[in-house]
Amino acid sequence: QVQLVESGGGLVQSGGSLRLSCAASGRTFRIYAMGWYRQVPGKVRESVARIANGGTTNYADSVKGRFTISRDNALNTVYLQMNSLKPEDTAVYYCNAQDGLTYWGQGTQVTVSS
């Protein structure tokens, strides 16, 4: 099993920045990809960014050029640097890890005021 704990959410003004962190513990040696998803009430959870063990990254079109995902393998931690935030980025952000199974963190609220 893998446990994920997110941190770094909060309230920020439009144009501002936040950095989310997700620390993985447990059976982390089998993880081959980690990522971030977000969800607003009444909508489907959507993928924001993903990073594989080899360093390959993928981003949703809506965040390309503004968000950067990175990973510290020694700390089993993945980060999401979010710049130029917009009100439409407001959501609960969830960390995700995959090792054949899929694991989720508890979520952290990001609110961007206009």
Side-chain angles (χ1 to χ4, degrees):
Q1 293 291 322
V2 173
Q3 295 78 44
L4 303 172
V5 178
E6 301 116 331
S7 60
L11 173 64
V12 64
Q13 288 188 335
S14 181
S17 298
L18 282 174
R19 188 175 86 151
L20 305 182
S21 300
C22 173
S25 61
R27 196 181 62 184
T28 59
F29 62 94
R30 291 188 176 187
I31 294 174
Y32 58 79
M34 296 184 72
W36 291 93
Y37 285 67
R38 65 187 181 187
Q39 188 170 24
V40 297
K43 293 192 176 182
V44 174
R45 189 173 296 186
E46 64 172 359
S47 176
V48 175
R50 182 179 186 270
I51 185 166
N53 277 357
T56 302
T57 57
N58 299 96
Y59 296 92
D61 288 342
S62 59
V63 307
K64 282 181 181 176
R66 300 188 298 122
F67 290 12
T68 302
I69 189 170
S70 61
R71 183 173 173 179
D72 186 327
N73 290 323
L75 296 178
N76 292 314
T77 300
V78 65
Y79 305 96
L80 185 68
Q81 178 65 43
M82 305 185 292
N83 299 328
S84 302
L85 282 161
K86 305 175 181 179
E88 50 264 44
D89 294 318
T90 295
V92 177
Y93 283 69
Y94 295 92
C95 180
N96 166 282
Q98 294 174 298
D99 69 356
L101 299 176
T102 299
Y103 304 92
W104 296 97
Q106 79 283 0
T108 184
Q109 177 70 46
V110 171
T111 303
V112 184
S113 62
S114 57

